[in-house]
């Protein structure tokens, strides 16, 4: 047998060995945990029963041990843990004179109360092992401190009433003992024992200053708690002062260390007070056991409740601050890894991500000091500042400006920013992203150039027609002038005829001027305008321009313009260029169509989306299925004489106006082109 199978067999044994080792470790962990629970419950039960048999214990410690255990272990193990304490309660020598039925009854009451409390806390709290928010603290107090102990105390009071005790006095003692245990002991177990166990450490890392503070706090709390507990003699005023001596240290612990400090401070105070009572060193030693228990309960209740409230508020604030820091760290991580330039600002801070700093070649300190203004082109700085001052800062801002790159070149940037608000509506600042659009603007310039060239090419085809249109009024003017001269040579010139001739000359002159004006407007290369315009009037001007060419090609023009259309917003010349291109293409597409069947339909109508739709329909050869998806691509053409830019430029113009353009074949032959332009929306 070769060595390879031997190695494979040996390797295959490793996972099973590791699994068995892990199983044994897990089992040992559970056994040790169960043993620790048994020991803890035994001593808690003995300590709770050692106070006095004449009254209920001021804290019922076993409740805290059992509840904390049920919150830790899975519910499927609860029955084992609950039943395992029964021998301790039945055979402990702390209460040999207590009847068996009473021990069984209190066992059922305490077990039911612990299970119900654990179920309620697991259901209504996100993390039942910690009291991090006011809501969690309220839920904990409602179920663990008030509601369930109050109901459970009814059963306990009934059992003790059977033994001859007063029902309501017993109910009060029983209730306060259960409630105070969950208010004093349970938080301490959760934070000091369970918390340390789950963190796998008993020695948290603290700074030197924190160590000094903890030492001073601990010493002060122990000393003042001892003094307050051992108030055996002295004047009434001195007793009052000594009685409240631990309070400042308790609140110091709650404010500085949250629930960890508050629960520890309450336990220290409670232990000192209990020790003094049990050894007869307290001023409460002269009271009856019931009065002593009640005095202890009130003493700790009045301190633990407000103290935990302060601690929970501290925890909630710290959690909010931690979440805010984590959110900011996540934002910084995301912002620093994104290729876009990200910035945000508020009244006190300004942030620029790594992409911004890499683009500008400046440090964060430099950009923060100038709030990014030094990298902006000097001609754009005032415009950028005005956009983020006054009321404009509370709105979405979209603007272009030039930003200096690390090599000194100014690049065109598009900035989009939105305001940030707190949940209460307070304005917090702005956050924005900046992208480099220099290449896009240059491409657009190559396109504001190609479009102009395309207009010139289109006008080259119309030169003869325009010359014809201009020649007609000029010829009429010349003919009328010659006629007027001949009439003026007569002895009695006919004034009425001369007036008609002069009117004809004026009309023909205006016609020639209008023709030239339209031609100059169409050929002029200028910045696009965004202004309200009558789409029907713009369509009429284009159709008048191509009317002579349509007549020459024996093309019938059908015009269906929807009356009363609202104005659209856009550049008149650019939109006319789009329509002119579509109409000329429609005429070219019908070159092989019989003369009697050649016609073009131009329509305008609202399309129901607050847009105006312009439609050009022909009866030509249509568009092949393989051509249709590529129709608006640059340099794609089916014409031998075309360069494939007309429809591409038309699409760019329409999209830049916020509209869309598309084409489709007609059922009865030919094709239809559509484009939409948004309506003008007045402000006010």
């Amino acid at each position: 047998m070769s060595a390879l199978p031997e190695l494979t067999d040996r390797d295959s044994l490793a996972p099973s060995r590791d699994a068995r080792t892990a199983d044994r470790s897990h089992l040992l962990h559970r056994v040790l945990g169960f043993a620790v629970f048994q020991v803890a419950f035994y001593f808690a039960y003995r300590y709770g029963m050692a106070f006095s048999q004449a009254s209920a214990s001021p804290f019922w410690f076993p409740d805290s041990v059992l509840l904390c255990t049920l919150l830790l272990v899975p519910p499927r193990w609860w029955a084992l843990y609950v039943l395992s304490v029964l021998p301790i309660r039945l055979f402990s020598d702390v209460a040999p004179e207590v009847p068996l039925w009473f021990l069984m009854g209190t066992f059922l009451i305490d077990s039911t109360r612990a299970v119900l409390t654990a179920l309620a806390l697991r259901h209504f709290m996100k993390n039942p092992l910690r009291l991090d928010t006011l809501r969690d603290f309220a839920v904990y107090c409602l179920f663990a401190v008030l509601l369930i102990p109050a109901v459970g105390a009814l059963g306990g009071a009934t059992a003790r009433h059977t033994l001859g005790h007063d029902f309501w006095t017993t109910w009060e003692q029983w209730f306060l003992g259960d409630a105070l245990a969950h208010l004093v002991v349970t938080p301490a177990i959760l934070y000091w024992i369970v918390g340390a166990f789950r963190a796998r450490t008993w020695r948290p890392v603290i700074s030197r200053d924190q160590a000094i503070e903890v030492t001073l706090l601990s010493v002060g709390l122990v000393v003042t708690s001892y003094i307050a507990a051992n108030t055996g003699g002295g004047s009434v005023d001195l007793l009052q002062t000594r009685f409240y001596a631990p309070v400042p240290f308790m609140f110091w612990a709650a404010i500085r260390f949250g629930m960890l400090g508050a629960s520890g401070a309450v336990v220290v105070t409670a232990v000192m007070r209990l020790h003094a009572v049990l050894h007869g060193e307290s001023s409460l030693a002269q009271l009856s056991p019931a009065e002593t228990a009640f005095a202890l309960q009130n003493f700790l209740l009045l301190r633990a409740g407000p103290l935990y409230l302060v601690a929970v508020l501290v925890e909630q604030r710290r959690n909010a601050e931690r979440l805010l820091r984590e959110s900011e760290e996540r934002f910084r991580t995301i912002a620093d890894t994104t290729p876009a330039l990200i910035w945000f600002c508020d009244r006190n801070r300004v942030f620029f991500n790594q992409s911004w700093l890499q683009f500008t070649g400046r440090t964060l300190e430099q950009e923060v000091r100038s709030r990014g203004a030094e990298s902006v082109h000097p001609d754009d700085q005032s415009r950028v500042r005005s956009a983020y001052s006054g009321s404009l800062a509370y709105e979405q801002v979209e603007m272009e400006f030039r930003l200096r790159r690390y090599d000194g070149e100014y690049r065109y940037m598009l900035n989009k920013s939105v305001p940030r608000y707190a949940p209460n509506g307070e304005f917090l600042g702005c956050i924005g992203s900046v992208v480099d659009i220099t290449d896009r603007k240059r491409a657009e310039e190559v396109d504001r150039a190609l479009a102009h060239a395309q207009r010139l090419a289109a006008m080259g085809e119309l030169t003869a027609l325009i010359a014809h249109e201009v020649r007609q009024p000029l010829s009429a003017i010349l003919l009328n002038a010659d006629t007027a001269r001949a009439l003026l040579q007569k002895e009695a010139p006919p004034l009425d005829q001369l007036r008609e001739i002069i009117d004809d000359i004026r009309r023909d002159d205006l016609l020639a001027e209008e023709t030239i004006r339209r031609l100059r407007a169409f050929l002029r290369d200028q910045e696009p305008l965004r202004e309200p315009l009558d789409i029907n009037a713009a369509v009429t001007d284009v159709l008048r321009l191509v009317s002579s060419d349509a007549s020459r090609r024996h093309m019938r023009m059908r015009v269906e313009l929807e009356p009363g259309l609202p104005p659209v917003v856009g550049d008149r010349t650019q939109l006319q260029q789009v329509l002119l291109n579509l109409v000329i293409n429609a005429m070219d597409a019908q070159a092989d169509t019989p003369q009697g069947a050649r016609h073009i339909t131009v329509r305008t109508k609202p399309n129901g989306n607050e847009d105006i739709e312009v439609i050009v329909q022909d009866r030509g050869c249509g568009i092949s299925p393989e051509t249709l998806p590529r129709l608006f691509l640059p340099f794609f053409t089916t014409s031998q004489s075309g360069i494939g830019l007309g429809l591409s430029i038309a699409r760019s113009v329409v999209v830049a106006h916020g509209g869309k353009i598309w084409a489709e074949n007609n059922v009865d032959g030919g094709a239809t082109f559509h484009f939409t332009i948004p309506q003008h929306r007045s402000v006010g």
Side-chain angles (χ1 to χ4, degrees):
M1 184 177 291
S2 64
L4 183 59
E6 293 181 3
L7 291 176
T8 304
D9 292 341
R10 291 171 184 172
D11 291 343
S12 65
L13 296 177
S16 60
R17 291 173 180 172
D18 292 341
R20 288 197 297 270
T21 301
D23 290 340
R24 286 196 296 268
S25 176
H26 188 66
L27 178 61
L28 179 61
H29 175 78
R30 288 195 175 276
V31 171
L32 289 176
F34 183 78
V36 169
F37 164 72
Q38 291 287 303
V39 173
F41 190 89
Y42 172 77
F43 284 103
Y45 185 74
R46 287 183 62 89
Y47 199 71
M49 295 294 291
F51 187 77
S52 173
Q53 294 304 311
S55 66
S57 173
F59 325 89
W60 187 234
F61 301 103
D63 269 4
S64 296
V65 175
L66 183 57
L67 176 60
C68 291
T69 303
L70 296 183
L71 293 177
L72 276 172
V73 301
R76 64 178 181 273
W77 295 100
W78 284 4
L80 173 64
Y81 281 87
V82 169
L83 292 174
S84 68
V85 303
L86 182 58
I88 297 176
R89 303 179 70 119
L90 293 180
F91 302 110
S92 176
D93 58 355
V94 295
E97 73 280 6
V98 178
L100 178 62
W101 67 265
F102 182 84
L103 293 176
M104 290 296 299
T106 54
F107 164 74
L108 291 175
I109 293 171
D110 291 349
S111 300
T112 303
R113 187 172 59 241
V115 171
L116 291 177
T117 305
L119 288 173
L121 297 185
R122 280 176 173 260
H123 180 74
F124 291 103
M125 293 175 62
K126 184 177 181 181
N127 182 5
L129 299 178
R130 296 187 64 84
L131 304 176
D132 292 334
T133 65
L134 280 177
R135 179 190 178 278
D136 288 345
F137 182 67
V139 169
Y140 179 83
C141 289
L142 176 63
F143 290 105
V145 180
L146 297 177
L147 186 60
I148 296 178
V151 175
L154 294 175
T158 302
R160 289 187 67 83
H161 181 67
T162 306
L163 295 178
H165 298 278
D166 180 70
F167 180 86
W168 289 112
T169 301
T170 303
W171 178 89
E172 182 181 39
Q173 293 172 348
W174 199 291
F175 166 70
L176 290 176
D178 295 336
L180 204 60
H182 289 317
L183 197 62
V184 174
V185 182
T186 304
I189 296 176
L190 292 178
Y191 277 86
W192 285 90
I193 299 177
V194 176
F197 175 76
R198 292 171 69 88
R200 305 293 184 183
T201 178
W202 289 87
R203 298 177 59 187
V205 179
I206 60 177
S207 64
R208 178 175 175 272
D209 293 340
Q210 288 177 323
I212 295 174
E213 181 181 9
V214 170
T215 302
L216 293 175
L217 174 60
S218 302
V219 172
L221 185 62
V222 170
V223 171
T224 54
S225 297
Y226 178 82
I227 294 174
N230 294 270
T231 54
S235 64
V236 176
D237 293 338
L238 181 60
L239 288 177
Q240 292 284 351
T241 303
R242 294 166 61 185
F243 193 72
Y244 289 100
V247 172
F249 291 93
M250 298 174 73
F251 278 95
W252 179 4
I255 293 172
R256 291 290 294 142
F257 301 100
M259 282 298 299
L260 184 68
S263 59
V266 170
V267 167
V268 170
T269 304
V271 169
M272 289 292 184
R273 178 65 62 171
L274 277 175
H275 181 273
V277 169
L278 292 176
H279 291 79
E281 299 173 356
S282 171
S283 60
L284 303 178
Q286 306 301 322
L287 302 177
S288 66
E291 292 173 335
T292 301
F294 186 73
L296 274 174
Q297 290 165 343
N298 280 283
F299 173 83
L300 294 173
L301 186 63
L302 293 176
R303 283 154 179 76
L307 193 68
Y308 285 155
L309 182 60
V310 172
V312 168
L313 290 173
V314 171
E315 293 276 0
Q316 186 166 296
R317 186 200 66 186
R318 288 178 178 172
N319 286 335
E321 293 175 349
R322 176 180 56 82
L323 291 175
L324 180 60
R325 288 194 301 269
E326 292 175 354
S327 177
E328 289 184 351
E329 290 175 359
R330 287 194 298 269
F331 170 77
R332 288 176 180 270
T333 301
I334 295 173
D336 285 338
T337 56
T338 186
L341 280 62
I342 304 294
W343 62 269
F344 78 81
C345 66
D346 55 26
R347 292 185 177 90
N348 302 316
R349 296 176 301 169
V350 179
F351 169 78
F352 300 92
N353 71 337
Q354 287 297 319
S355 296
W356 179 292
L357 301 178
Q358 292 172 2
F359 182 90
T360 61
R362 290 162 57 86
T363 65
L364 180 60
E365 291 73 17
Q366 290 174 322
E367 292 291 42
V368 168
R369 187 165 52 249
S370 67
R371 301 183 73 87
E374 291 184 0
S375 298
V376 178
H377 194 282
D379 294 343
D380 298 336
Q381 288 184 6
S382 60
R383 185 163 52 88
V384 172
R385 287 194 184 99
S386 63
Y388 292 100
S389 62
S391 61
L392 292 180
Y394 297 84
E395 304 173 356
Q396 295 186 9
V397 176
E398 181 173 340
M399 63 180 304
E400 296 179 7
F401 64 91
R402 287 163 292 180
L403 190 68
R404 186 176 63 243
R405 200 166 60 180
Y406 60 88
D407 57 1
E409 179 185 355
Y410 281 98
R411 306 279 292 181
Y412 282 95
M413 315 298 288
L414 176 62
N415 171 81
K416 295 183 179 180
S417 63
V418 293
R420 298 186 299 123
Y421 295 96
N424 61 359
E426 179 186 2
F427 176 72
L428 298 178
C430 300
I431 181 171
S433 64
V434 180
V435 294
D436 191 337
I437 59 170
T438 305
D439 295 336
R440 191 188 78 184
K441 290 185 70 67
R442 290 174 178 171
E444 290 175 354
E445 292 175 357
V446 172
D447 286 342
R448 282 185 190 117
L450 291 178
H452 182 58
Q454 196 268 345
R455 286 200 299 272
L456 294 178
M459 290 308 300
E461 300 178 5
L462 299 176
T463 300
L465 299 177
I466 295 172
H468 175 69
E469 288 193 9
V470 175
R471 186 183 299 114
Q472 282 184 336
L474 290 179
S475 299
I477 291 173
L478 180 60
L479 178 60
N480 283 324
D482 291 340
T483 302
R485 174 178 290 183
L487 292 175
L488 288 172
Q489 291 177 354
K490 294 182 179 181
E491 292 183 359
L495 297 180
D496 292 340
Q497 294 184 20
L498 289 174
R499 291 190 185 96
E500 291 178 1
I501 290 174
I502 292 174
D503 290 339
D504 289 342
I505 292 175
R506 185 176 185 278
R507 184 179 62 254
D508 292 334
D509 180 83
L510 292 176
L511 178 60
E513 181 182 359
E514 176 64 16
T515 302
I516 295 173
R517 186 195 64 79
R518 292 200 307 269
L519 178 62
R520 291 182 61 188
F522 190 78
L523 293 176
R524 185 165 54 246
D525 188 15
Q526 60 183 7
E527 290 291 322
L529 300 176
R530 293 292 186 270
E531 58 183 1
L533 60 93
D534 184 349
I535 191 65
N536 285 344
V539 170
T540 301
D541 286 346
V542 172
L543 297 182
R544 186 183 297 117
L545 193 62
V546 300
S547 59
S548 297
D549 192 17
S551 298
R552 180 178 60 85
R553 300 194 194 196
H554 305 284
M555 199 79 57
R556 289 184 298 168
M557 301 291 294
R558 180 183 300 167
V559 183
E560 301 174 2
L561 305 182
E562 182 84 12
L565 288 177
V568 300
V569 59
D571 184 279
R572 185 186 188 92
T573 301
Q574 287 189 347
L575 295 179
Q576 287 180 326
Q577 175 192 349
V578 173
L579 181 60
L580 176 64
N581 183 275
L582 297 181
V583 172
I584 292 177
N585 287 349
M587 290 192 292
D588 292 342
Q590 300 180 79
D592 298 330
T593 302
Q595 291 185 5
R598 298 175 185 175
H599 71 262
I600 297 175
T601 301
V602 179
R603 298 199 301 270
T604 60
K605 66 173 186 177
N607 73 343
N609 295 323
E610 297 188 350
D611 294 337
I612 302 301
E613 185 175 345
V614 181
I615 302 169
V616 178
Q617 187 177 35
D618 65 62
R619 295 297 300 273
C621 57
I623 307 169
S624 64
E626 61 272 12
T627 298
L628 195 60
R630 307 167 58 192
L631 200 59
F632 296 96
L633 295 178
F635 304 107
F636 175 78
T637 180
T638 58
S639 174
Q640 295 181 352
S641 60
I643 60 175
L645 289 177
L647 291 178
S648 173
I649 294 173
R651 179 182 179 277
S652 299
V653 171
V654 172
V655 171
H657 280 74
K660 59 181 181 179
I661 186 170
W662 70 98
E664 57 188 5
N665 286 313
N666 302 327
V667 177
D668 54 351
T672 301
F673 284 77
H674 311 253
F675 71 89
T676 62
I677 300 297
Q679 297 180 19
H680 172 67
R681 297 174 178 85
S682 59
V683 180

